[in-house]
């Protein structure tokens, strides 16, 4: 039996009368890169926020590996208590579209602080690994800069390094390039491609179809709060089977 890094089953979420997720089931295998595409308002960001515990499900279940975070009980989601949620948060990293860096802390501090405070790791070890990640992100020489001294692409690479510093089992990205111009977008996409080549498990909400085709093992098309189509990236993007998928991709091509 395959043990998924992350699994959502029957996920439902509504905001008032607006039903945003309608029974979504998504399972992510170790080393897999899953791209989630779809129109605005289709449920992509809500799905990601529920998976990363920023929002709570109304119905359905959520697990990270062997750790059950929430289960469905008579059609309602019941969450685990205390330590289980803390343990779940240690299993994933999240990269936001607007960076969420601490503005008055240096690049080194932004990356090294969480391993020290959350994981109680030794300062020297945390800073050594932070410097390695800074170099890996192509940011050598930026250790003592603060976010306002960096470009948007550099800030996003710092946020990726910060997420990686906690050794997550799966990394979630919410439109990681939506705030960037094309040149800076290319910088960030190169980093994500390098992580994919290292078999980092990733779930990426993106509007970059060429990137999704190139980097994702599987593409999930989400519309109206439901998975309309999913499959290998090239098949879904180049040869979609469902009319709604075809219509969405044709609009992007116009």
């Amino acid at each position: 039996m395959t043990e998924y890094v992350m699994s959502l089953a029957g996920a439902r979420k509504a905001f008032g009368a607006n039903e945003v997720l309608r029974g979504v089931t998504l399972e992510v295998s170790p080393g897999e890169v899953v791209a989630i595409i779809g129109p605005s308002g289709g449920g992509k960001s809500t799905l990601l926020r529920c998976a990363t515990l920023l929002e709570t499900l109304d119905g359905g279940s959520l697990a990270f590996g062997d750790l059950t975070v929430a289960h469905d009980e008579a059609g309602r989601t019941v969450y685990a208590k205390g330590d289980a949620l803390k343990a779940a948060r240690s299993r994933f990293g999240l990269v936001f579209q607007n960076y969420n860096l601490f503005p008055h802390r240096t690049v080194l501090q932004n990356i090294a602080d969480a391993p020290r405070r959350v994981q109680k790791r030794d300062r020297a070890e945390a800073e050594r690994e932070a410097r390695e990640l800074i170099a890996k992100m192509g940011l050598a020489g930026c250790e003592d800069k603060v976010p306002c001294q960096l470009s948007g692409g550099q800030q996003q690479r710092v946020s990726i390094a910060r997420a990686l510093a906690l050794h997550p089992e799966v990394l979630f990205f919410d439109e990681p390039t939506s705030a960037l111009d094309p040149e800076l977008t290319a910088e960030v996409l190169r980093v994500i491609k390098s992580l994919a080549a290292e078999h980092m498990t990733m779930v990426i909400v993106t509007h970059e179809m060429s990137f999704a085709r190139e980097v994702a093992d599987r593409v999930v098309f989400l519309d109206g709060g439901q998975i309309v189509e999913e499959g290998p990236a090239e098949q879904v993007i180049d040869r979609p089977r469902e009319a709604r998928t075809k219509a969405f991709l044709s609009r992007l091509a116009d």
Side-chain angles (χ1 to χ4, degrees), residues 17-91:
N18 182 21
E19 194 175 5
V20 182
L21 297 179
R22 306 181 181 194
V24 174
T25 293
L26 178 65
E27 296 161 334
V28 182
S29 298
E32 186 179 26
V33 179
V34 178
I36 302 177
I37 66 171
S40 296
K44 305 185 302 298
S45 289
T46 299
L47 179 64
L48 207 67
R49 290 178 66 82
C50 288
T52 56
L53 305 176
L54 294 174
E55 298 281 359
T56 55
L57 293 167
D58 297 328
S61 63
L62 171 64
F64 286 92
D66 59 354
L67 179 62
T68 298
V69 179
H71 67 278
D72 193 275
E73 200 169 282
R76 304 297 296 175
T77 298
V78 178
Y79 279 82
K81 304 298 182 185
D83 288 347
L85 293 181
K86 182 179 179 182
R89 288 188 176 94
S90 74
R91 296 198 181 192

Side-chain angles (χ1 to χ4, degrees), residues 61-205:
S61 63
L62 171 64
F64 286 92
D66 59 354
L67 179 62
T68 298
V69 179
H71 67 278
D72 193 275
E73 200 169 282
R76 304 297 296 175
T77 298
V78 178
Y79 279 82
K81 304 298 182 185
D83 288 347
L85 293 181
K86 182 179 179 182
R89 288 188 176 94
S90 74
R91 296 198 181 192
F92 64 80
L94 176 58
V95 178
F96 299 90
Q97 52 185 293
N98 58 351
Y99 326 134
N100 278 27
L101 300 174
F102 294 110
H104 302 301
R105 301 189 75 73
T106 66
V107 167
L108 184 68
Q109 290 168 336
N110 263 286
I111 298 170
D113 277 4
R116 289 180 56 210
R117 296 175 189 275
V118 177
Q119 299 177 335
K120 309 303 181 187
R121 284 160 59 188
D122 175 74
R123 176 173 181 167
E125 176 199 352
E127 291 190 353
R128 176 188 56 76
E129 184 170 356
R131 291 180 189 280
E132 291 173 357
L133 286 167
I134 288 167
K136 182 175 182 176
M137 296 294 122
L139 295 169
C142 295
E143 291 84 351
D144 296 325
K145 292 183 177 181
V146 292
C148 67
Q149 296 174 302
L150 305 176
S151 71
Q154 289 173 321
Q155 290 186 63
Q156 190 61 294
R157 282 180 279 159
V158 173
S159 69
I160 294 171
R162 180 180 60 183
L164 289 170
L166 291 169
H167 300 173
E169 295 176 11
V170 56
L171 201 53
F172 293 92
F173 293 84
D174 185 11
E175 296 277 15
T177 60
S178 66
L180 305 177
D181 65 34
E183 184 178 351
L184 300 181
T185 290
E187 294 175 4
V188 174
L189 296 184
R190 276 195 297 272
V191 168
I192 298 174
K193 287 176 188 175
S194 72
L195 295 175
E198 297 171 7
H199 305 292
M200 180 75 203
T201 308
M202 293 184 281
V203 177
I204 307 169
V205 169

